[in-house]
Structure formats: structure tokens, C-alpha cells
Amino acid sequence: MFGSRRATDGPGPRWRRHEQHNQEVTAVWIQWCGTVAAVSLSLWVSVFGGRVDGRRGPEHVPARSGQPAPAVAIYAVRYGTLTNFPVAALVAGADTARRMDIALMVWLIRERGADGHPHTVLVDAGFYRDAFVRRWHPADYQRPSVALAALGVRPEDVTDLIISHVHWDHLDGADLFPNARVWIQRAEYVHHVDAAGHSLDPAIDSTDAAMLGRLHAAGRVTLLDGDSSEVLPGIVAYTGGKHTYASQYVSVATRHGTVVLASDNAYLYENLSAHRPIAQTLDSASNLAAQARMVRLAGDLRRIVPGHDPAVFERFPRPGHGIARIE
């Protein structure tokens, strides 16, 4: 979600309810993010209503493997909360006085591939290092690897880990899953991490850059070459959200249609329903185009899962207790 400072830089903002502190924090965030003007529905339709390849009509998930879409179960797994968070840091143009408690999530995909072998796929890894926990003080926090136990998943059971982008709250937990192959965009990797595992951009924490470099050196990282890249049969990664240099989001084919896991390319349902870009993007127009594409891919806003909206667990209340089955 956030990447402008490193956890080792010393004490950062603590999202408490003290109003004076909230005002100071909001000022910092708005200065960092900038205030992006709201985009009207008419502009959305006229500019982004067509396909990204310039043609009109619905956009379908590519099926490069030639294999049928596997049966899947998809879950949002909540491992903590950031309380009293400024909505203006999530939705461009939002009232700076608005606050909400936002969910910290990872997403689990269980599938049985056409070869009959099961895959336990995690989208994003959350965070666990003490520096981040001390800095952000998440409520109801548990390590993402522990939160998965509610679904009977052990850290070593995760076969594949798709990293949407390099921010600490999505990448930091990657080394909690010892058997997982890590999938990340090549452009995202090479922009942020050098050959020695050093950070090239403040969007990635130096500790996380070193960790990702070690995983790459161990042969556990697969670099995806751009938009519309198939990870596994039925699971496709897309770029264009521009939350970071080459952030990606994921579509998952199910028996009931395509589900899109937006991660931070759409923080909240409000980004999608109000046609507002995320506040933290390198390119607002590209982010809006990516959100429009998500709608075309999923065919229904209900099948798009935003990155930090606690309403996910209201819209999908089963099985409950921080677990939402997306169906």
C-alpha cells in the first residue's frame, strides 16, 4: 500500500484517534499522494468504455494453456486492521475529514489443475517484520501465515505466491512460505531491486528488497513478462493499475465466472462504483483504465475484490471470522 519511507527510518505515523495527530497525518499523506480530481461517469464511458486494444465489446480472459479452467475456491483472509485511516489516501478527491478502518488482507486460491495436481496459490503475502508492526500498530493482527490456519493451510502448503507489487504490506511476508514459487512482474522487480538485492526505489523497503533478492538468487522467483500473463491455467496477471511501477492484478476463472483480485490497484469498492482513481498512483488515467478493464473481465462489480475494503467481509460473510469465500 505505502512505500515512500522505509521501516528503519524511525518512528512513522500511528493512526490514532487523536484529532490533532490525524490532521497532521492527513496533511503528510495528501502532500505525498496529491489530490487528483474526480473523473465523471461520462468521461469513464467515453474514454475507457472500450477494450484496451481499441475494439469495442466484452473482454475475455485469455486461455493460452489450452486447458479448461480448473475448479477453484477463492478466499479473502483478513490478518489485521489499520484503524481510523484517511480515506483521502485511498480515493482521489475524497473528503480529507473522512476516516475508516481498513482491512489488511491476502487472498487464497485453491485449485486442482488439469494435470490433477492441487495448487494452493496466495495473492500477496502481507507483512510480519517487527519494524512494520511497531510502526503501524495494526489492530487484531496476526501473521498472515497464522491467519491461513483457519482454512487448514500451513505455510509449507502454499505452492505459488503472486506478488501484486513491492510495498511492504504486500511483499514483506513472502519468506513465510518456504515452498512457494514467487510470481512478480519483471518490470516491477528490475525497477526496484538490483542484482545485489539492494533497493533502487524508496517504494520498496531495503529489508524486503534484500529478501526478494535472496529468493530470486535461490531460483524461487518467476518474472512475468508484462500484461495478460498466465500464471497457472485459469489465473492471469494484468498490468496497468500503476499503483507502483508495474503493479499487477489477477483474474481467476471459476465455474460461475471470472473473479478479479484487484489488490491495491483498487483499494475500495468506492474506487470502482464512483469511478475514482486510487489516491496513490503514478498515473491516474491508467489506473482508471485498469479499473474499467476489471469490470469488463469480471462482468459484475460483485466479482471484483478490492485491496483494503472491510466491506468484502460483509458482502461475502461466509464462513466468517475474518474469512470470506468469494462466490
Side-chain angles (χ1 to χ4, degrees), residues 102-184:
I102 61 172
L104 298 168
M105 287 183 268
V106 295
W107 300 272
L108 183 74
I109 307 166
R110 281 175 160 163
E111 69 166 32
R112 185 170 295 277
D115 56 5
H117 296 299
H119 298 283
T120 301
V121 183
L122 198 61
V123 178
D124 288 340
F127 67 94
Y128 76 96
R129 285 179 169 80
D130 287 344
F132 298 124
V133 175
R134 289 195 306 268
R135 177 180 173 186
W136 292 94
H137 294 279
D140 303 318
Y141 172 80
Q142 56 184 328
R143 285 189 176 193
S145 53
V146 174
L148 290 173
L151 290 168
V153 176
R154 303 169 300 172
E156 58 268 29
D157 294 334
V158 176
T159 58
D160 298 270
L161 173 58
I162 302 170
I163 298 296
S164 65
H165 64 288
V166 299
H167 286 168
W168 58 275
D169 58 321
H170 296 261
L171 170 63
D172 182 64
D175 56 351
L176 291 172
F177 306 99
N179 297 324
R181 171 152 295 279
V182 177
W183 304 78
I184 189 171

Side-chain angles (χ1 to χ4, degrees), residues 28-159:
V28 172
W29 274 111
I30 298 306
Q31 183 180 10
W32 187 85
C33 301
T35 302
V36 183
V39 177
S40 68
L41 176 59
S42 60
L43 179 60
W44 171 277
V45 173
S46 63
V47 178
F48 303 123
R51 294 172 49 150
V52 292
D53 57 12
R55 293 177 287 173
R56 295 284 167 176
E59 182 169 339
H60 299 289
V61 177
R64 291 181 179 76
S65 66
Q67 299 175 358
V72 299
I74 307 171
Y75 300 90
V77 180
R78 188 170 186 166
Y79 66 92
T81 300
L82 294 183
T83 62
N84 208 31
F85 199 86
V87 176
L90 305 170
V91 178
D95 184 346
T96 57
R98 288 177 60 195
R99 298 288 189 277
M100 66 180 293
D101 295 348
I102 61 172
L104 298 168
M105 287 183 268
V106 295
W107 300 272
L108 183 74
I109 307 166
R110 281 175 160 163
E111 69 166 32
R112 185 170 295 277
D115 56 5
H117 296 299
H119 298 283
T120 301
V121 183
L122 198 61
V123 178
D124 288 340
F127 67 94
Y128 76 96
R129 285 179 169 80
D130 287 344
F132 298 124
V133 175
R134 289 195 306 268
R135 177 180 173 186
W136 292 94
H137 294 279
D140 303 318
Y141 172 80
Q142 56 184 328
R143 285 189 176 193
S145 53
V146 174
L148 290 173
L151 290 168
V153 176
R154 303 169 300 172
E156 58 268 29
D157 294 334
V158 176
T159 58

Side-chain angles (χ1 to χ4, degrees), residues 32-33 36 167 188 191-192 201 203 240-247 278-287:
W32 187 85
C33 301
V36 183
H167 286 168
E188 180 83 345
H191 178 83
H192 292 97
D201 186 304
K242 298 303 288 184
H243 177 51
T244 56
Y245 185 80
S247 60
I278 57 174
Q280 298 177 57
T281 177
L282 302 178
D283 186 331
S284 295
S286 184
N287 181 252

